[in-house]
Amino acid sequence: MKRKMMLINPHKPGRHGEESITVIVQMPLNLAYVAALTPGDWEFDVIDENLELAIDDNDEITFKPVDLVCITSVTYQSPRAYKIAAACRKKGMTVIMGGIHASVMPEEAANYVDSVFVGEAEEVWPQVIKDFEEGKLKKVYQGGLPPLSLMKKVHPNRELMKKKYNYKFSSIVTTKGCPNYCDFCSVPTFQGRKFRERPYEDVLDEMAATDYKGLMLAEDNFYGHGKKSNERARDLFKGMVERGIHKDWLGFTALNISQDPETLGYMAKSGNFGMLIGIESTNEAVLQKMNKRVNLKLGTDSYFDCIQKIHDAGLVVWGSVVFGADGDDKDSFKRMTDFILENNIDILTFGINCPFPKTQLYARLDSEKRIFRKNYPEDWQYYDTAHVVHRLVDMTLEDFIEGMQYVYDHVYAGDNLRTRFRNSIKTTKNPRNSMFAFRVGSDWKQVFEQVLQNLKELYDSGDYYKDCYKSSAAPVLKPIMEAVTT
């Protein structure tokens, strides 16, 4: 008799975020790998809570009990993940939790599940299944950071995911890890500071083997961090062209790719829409504090030229910025808005500066007693870059709300999206890629509107100013707090 496994991707009900970008709704690839790596005779099902719920409003499961439940989770999903785990265990099911939050907070996760998987699954997951089948499941498993050459042996079970939800996009792994150490980023903590590269021939074979037309390169910088990794990326895209592997694809990288016209040419020919680039800030003092070295090396004065070169290749620039970092003041919103419009950034998405657990940013803000959302694990729901969870020092909360509204009014509201779409066509001379940018922007508009609502709810709650005298932000907050209390 087949054993049954349920794979669950939790989601905070009502939240809008990157998962709300309908043009690139993609499968949770890590769950597809779990299915593919599981040895023996197992029957699989999946619940992606972006599309259906695993538990109802009464915290009762919505599916028939199975032998084993596997839950993945990033930080903001973890309270929901723990609720799902409790509902499953109540019905006698064994629950294993993995993903980035469990990997950086295994002691916490172990309080809510039967077993915690830390790190990556390629080498250790078969042993987990063996232990479960023999009734010897351990409380914690360390998957480590295995070489990406192992991924050649097992490709993710995309068919399982596609059959259930008919996803438009799939991710594909080409690299992992990052040698940089930006203070807000969890990637070095989760995937290591060594930049691990998957043999590009293996990536090409997987691309050719899947019938997925839409692919997202599932890493933070596919171009890499040096001459050899840059050449490897170029070989990958050149191989796509030479083998006729034409995909609708995009990925994440840095502005230095703009200095490589040959690679940009192969990217365009292989079907690339453009790339998401971490611009973060135009203020070099802010970038210094973030430790955003690649941007500092280029220099903010070079941004315009870099963006123009990407546009000249017919590709769109998906700019991602951070709002609320130390060093940003109330005038930074207008400066960023001017930058976005003057440089014809095709897509603007953003994150509110967020101290994710075990990052340098968390350690610093916590030592300064500036984090006010600390009722864990429940308060992890706010750690999604869509909420303010720490007190600002260079502006008031009112300044921040007013500034975010200014960006929305000038970049998204009214006819701004259509104007930027027309500008994208002019600068890229590529209507296909410009339409992709317009569709992403149209979906992100509702994300932005929810962020504004989150900020207003925070202001109304009074939580931001509560006990503010204990924070290093007290000199800024004191006069406002006195005004509120009087």
Side-chain angles (χ1 to χ4, degrees):
M1 182 178 178
K2 284 187 176 182
R3 290 184 172 89
K4 296 181 179 180
M5 182 186 299
M6 179 61 77
L7 306 165
I8 299 178
N9 182 42
H11 179 66
K12 180 182 175 182
R15 177 188 185 270
H16 293 300
E18 58 277 358
E19 68 280 355
S20 302
I21 302 176
T22 58
V23 68
I24 53 170
V25 171
Q26 58 183 297
M27 67 180 64
L29 192 71
N30 50 357
L31 296 182
Y33 266 109
V34 167
L37 290 165
T38 301
D41 194 13
W42 282 78
E43 181 179 308
F44 302 96
D45 197 1
V46 59
I47 291 181
D48 184 347
E49 286 208 307
N50 293 300
L51 300 166
E52 66 173 320
L53 297 181
I55 54 175
D56 61 22
D57 293 341
N58 297 315
D59 293 343
E60 295 290 335
I61 61 171
T62 60
F63 57 93
K64 293 181 179 180
V66 296
D67 299 288
L68 183 61
V69 176
C70 299
I71 306 176
T72 186
S73 176
V74 297
T75 293
Y76 83 82
Q77 296 171 324
S78 58
R80 178 72 176 181
Y82 297 152
K83 278 190 175 184
I84 294 171
C88 292
R89 296 175 83 191
K90 183 178 178 182
K91 295 293 184 180
M93 291 178 274
T94 299
V95 179
I96 300 177
M97 183 173 171
I100 189 168
H101 188 77
S103 293
V104 299
M105 301 291 291
E107 298 87 358
E108 176 191 278
N111 294 320
Y112 300 93
V113 298
D114 298 288
S115 183
V116 177
F117 194 96
V118 177
E120 299 168 14
E122 284 79 5
E123 289 187 306
V124 179
W125 186 252
Q127 183 63 48
V128 176
I129 297 300
K130 183 175 185 293
D131 289 352
F132 171 76
E133 292 175 342
E134 294 176 355
K136 301 177 181 178
L137 193 67
K138 298 175 184 178
K139 193 64 179 178
V140 179
Y141 288 88
Q142 296 287 341
L145 303 173
L148 300 195
S149 57
L150 293 178
M151 303 183 82
K152 184 174 183 178
K153 298 179 181 179
V154 180
H155 290 171
N157 189 345
R158 292 185 175 90
E159 288 306 310
L160 167 69
M161 302 291 175
K162 186 176 182 179
K163 183 179 179 181
K164 181 69 179 286
Y165 295 116
N166 195 30
Y167 292 101
K168 298 176 182 178
F169 260 68
S170 172
S171 300
I172 186 167
V173 175
T174 77
T175 70
K176 289 185 180 181
C178 181
N180 297 324
Y181 206 20
C182 299
D183 74 338
F184 57 83
C185 185
S186 298
V187 171
T189 305
F190 179 50
Q191 295 186 342
R193 295 192 66 180
K194 181 180 179 181
F195 186 62
R196 290 172 289 150
E197 299 170 284
R198 186 177 175 190
Y200 74 87
E201 299 92 343
D202 178 27
V203 178
L204 290 171
D205 289 342
E206 184 177 334
M207 285 182 171
T210 180
D211 60 358
Y212 261 93
K213 181 73 171 174
L215 289 178
M216 169 82 81
L217 274 55
E219 55 261 4
D220 288 271
N221 190 347
F222 62 75
Y223 188 56
H225 303 271
K227 184 177 179 181
K228 288 187 176 180
S229 56
N230 299 161
E231 290 173 350
R232 176 199 160 276
R234 188 182 310 125
D235 287 340
L236 172 60
F237 307 134
K238 181 181 179 181
M240 290 178 69
V241 174
E242 292 177 343
R243 291 178 56 171
I245 304 173
H246 192 278
K247 299 289 185 179
D248 294 328
W249 73 272
L250 68 153
F252 303 72
T253 191
L255 271 172
N256 61 331
I257 198 171
S258 63
Q259 309 306 303
D260 187 346
E262 185 179 3
T263 296
L264 291 175
Y266 285 124
M267 289 169 61
K269 291 176 183 176
S270 63
N272 180 233
F273 290 115
M275 63 221 75
L276 191 149
I277 293 174
I279 293 170
E280 320 307 3
S281 176
T282 58
N283 184 332
E284 292 197 355
V286 173
L287 294 173
Q288 286 278 6
K289 197 145 194 174
M290 290 179 175
N291 196 33
K292 189 74 178 182
R293 290 184 291 176
V294 63
N295 291 28
L296 288 166
K297 186 176 180 180
L298 284 168
T300 55
D301 291 342
S302 72
Y303 281 7
F304 179 82
D305 180 64
C306 292
I307 292 164
Q308 189 171 26
K309 287 178 178 177
I310 296 171
H311 282 156
D312 288 345
L315 304 175
V316 299
V317 175
W318 180 335
S320 178
V321 303
V322 174
F323 290 119
D326 287 2
D328 278 339
D329 57 24
K330 63 181 182 179
D331 296 323
S332 62
F333 300 96
K334 184 179 186 305
R335 291 195 297 269
M336 180 56 73
T337 299
D338 291 344
F339 169 82
I340 295 299
L341 299 178
E342 289 169 4
N343 287 272
N344 293 312
I345 302 295
D346 307 279
I347 306 168
L348 170 67
T349 56
F350 64 87
I352 295 174
N353 205 29
C354 182
F356 291 111
K358 302 296 176 71
T359 61
Q360 292 182 81
L361 180 62
Y362 187 97
R364 178 169 64 83
L365 295 181
D366 192 40
S367 70
E368 295 170 1
K369 295 181 170 54
R370 290 169 57 190
I371 301 175
F372 63 89
R373 294 291 194 198
K374 295 188 68 176
N375 180 31
Y376 307 129
E378 189 62 28
D379 274 358
W380 289 130
Q381 66 178 305
Y382 299 111
Y383 287 66
D384 60 354
T385 73
H387 294 79
V388 171
V389 300
H390 72 280
R391 295 183 179 94
L392 309 167
V393 291
D394 296 299
M395 69 183 106
T396 66
L397 178 61
E398 291 86 343
D399 291 333
F400 189 79
I401 295 172
E402 184 178 336
M404 291 294 285
Q405 186 70 55
Y406 181 91
V407 177
Y408 176 82
D409 290 344
H410 290 79
V411 178
Y412 278 95
D415 200 44
N416 287 308
L417 280 172
R418 290 183 176 85
T419 299
R420 291 167 57 212
F421 170 55
R422 290 190 289 269
N423 289 338
S424 288
I425 294 177
K426 291 177 183 177
T427 53
T428 66
K429 299 179 176 58
N430 191 319
R432 166 192 177 261
N433 293 353
S434 299
M435 177 54 72
F436 170 80
F438 176 74
R439 292 178 66 188
V440 173
S442 297
D443 284 337
W444 192 262
K445 182 178 180 181
Q446 69 173 332
V447 178
F448 208 141
E449 289 167 352
Q450 186 171 76
V451 170
L452 290 171
Q453 182 62 34
N454 295 339
L455 292 169
K456 292 170 184 175
E457 289 176 359
L458 172 61
Y459 177 81
D460 291 340
S461 73
D463 290 343
Y464 182 83
Y465 293 118
K466 186 178 180 181
D467 297 327
C468 69
Y469 294 114
K470 299 177 182 179
S471 165
S472 64
V476 174
L477 297 168
K478 184 177 179 180
I480 299 170
M481 188 62 185
E482 290 174 345
V484 171
T485 55
T486 57

